[in-house]
Amino acid sequence: QVQLVESGGGLVQAGGSLRLSCATSGRTFGRNPMGWFRQTPGKDRELVATINWNGGSTYYTDSVKGRFAISRDNAKNTVYLQMNSLKPEDTAVYYCAADSRNDYGMTAVASEYDYWGQGTQVTVSS
């Protein structure tokens, strides 16, 4: 059974930092792009950041550029999202995802990701 399990969420004050992890099991995604998304009630899931298979290419939504950093360790089957200078508007459930149908590419569209984690809550207080 393929699983993506997020961890590292929690409650933090504005200006603080959190590091999210996404551990995968059941198959490897070493050739595939992976991404972090977030969602708040009543809104569509929003792309936060994506990373290609070897970490050589990344993409960030404008609102997190310069504050968040996505990385991956294929040997550990884990993807990370370092979040610094957090703002209350970053409050959301954060999901990691993998696009198993795209080898060695990049994917910035949520609908193209076919494996998803259950999400981890990030709450930033003002």
Side-chain angles (χ1 to χ4, degrees), residues 73-100:
D73 184 340
N74 288 339
K76 295 182 178 180
N77 297 314
T78 302
V79 178
Y80 304 97
L81 185 67
Q82 178 67 44
M83 305 187 295
N84 299 325
S85 302
L86 282 160
K87 303 175 181 180
E89 51 264 43
D90 295 318
T91 295
V93 177
Y94 283 71
Y95 299 88
C96 72
D99 179 3
S100 71

Side-chain angles (χ1 to χ4, degrees), residues 9-82:
L11 173 64
V12 64
Q13 288 188 331
S17 298
L18 285 174
R19 188 194 196 201
L20 305 184
S21 299
C22 173
T24 68
S25 62
R27 63 157 288 166
T28 61
F29 295 102
R31 297 195 303 252
N32 307 123
M34 297 194 69
W36 285 96
F37 295 78
R38 64 188 180 188
Q39 190 170 25
T40 55
K43 293 188 177 181
D44 291 337
R45 196 164 292 187
E46 172 193 25
L47 170 68
V48 176
T50 64
I51 189 167
N52 76 330
W53 70 283
N54 66 352
S57 182
T58 58
Y59 170 87
Y60 299 92
T61 193
D62 286 346
S63 62
V64 308
K65 284 180 181 176
R67 300 189 297 122
F68 290 11
I70 188 171
S71 62
R72 66 189 297 166
D73 184 340
N74 288 339
K76 295 182 178 180
N77 297 314
T78 302
V79 178
Y80 304 97
L81 185 67
Q82 178 67 44

